[in-house]
């Protein structure tokens, strides 16, 4: 009777290890797919960053011109 219980316990432990290994393999596959997506996102963000950099100097120029207009309008309303 004891040897039967030992054998059944070993089979149960073996099945548990196999199931856990299967889940870990599935998780690894999902993480690998996520890594590929993250690489694509990183490339996209870098492309957006390089395309947006020239906008900063243009916005500063526009802000400067708008400050001049605001100053002129303030003077025009006072006078």
């Amino acid at each position: 009777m004891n040897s039967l219980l030992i054998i059944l316990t070993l089979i149960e432990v073996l099945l548990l290890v196999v199931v856990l290994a299967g889940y870990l393999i599935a998780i690894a596959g999902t993480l690998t797919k996520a890594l590929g997506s993250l690489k694509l996102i990183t490339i996209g963000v870098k492309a957006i960053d390089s395309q947006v950099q020239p906008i900063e100097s243009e916005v500063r120029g526009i802000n400067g011109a708008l400050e001049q207009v605001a100053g002129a309008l303030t003077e025009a309303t006072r006078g």
Side-chain angles (χ1 to χ4, degrees), residues 51-79:
Q51 291 178 0
V52 172
Q53 284 179 352
I55 293 176
E56 183 179 357
S57 62
E58 296 298 322
V59 169
R60 288 180 191 223
I62 292 169
N63 282 340
L66 289 174
E67 286 175 5
Q68 290 177 355
V69 170
L73 288 174
T74 303
E75 289 298 320
T77 56
R78 288 185 188 167

Side-chain angles (χ1 to χ4, degrees), residues 14-54:
L14 179 65
L15 286 174
L16 178 67
V17 169
V18 168
V19 169
L20 288 176
Y23 277 116
L24 288 175
I25 290 169
I27 290 170
T30 303
L31 289 174
T32 302
K33 289 179 186 177
L35 178 63
S37 297
L38 287 175
K39 286 180 181 179
L40 290 175
I41 290 170
T42 302
I43 292 169
V45 169
K46 286 181 181 179
I48 291 169
D49 182 48
S50 66
Q51 291 178 0
V52 172
Q53 284 179 352

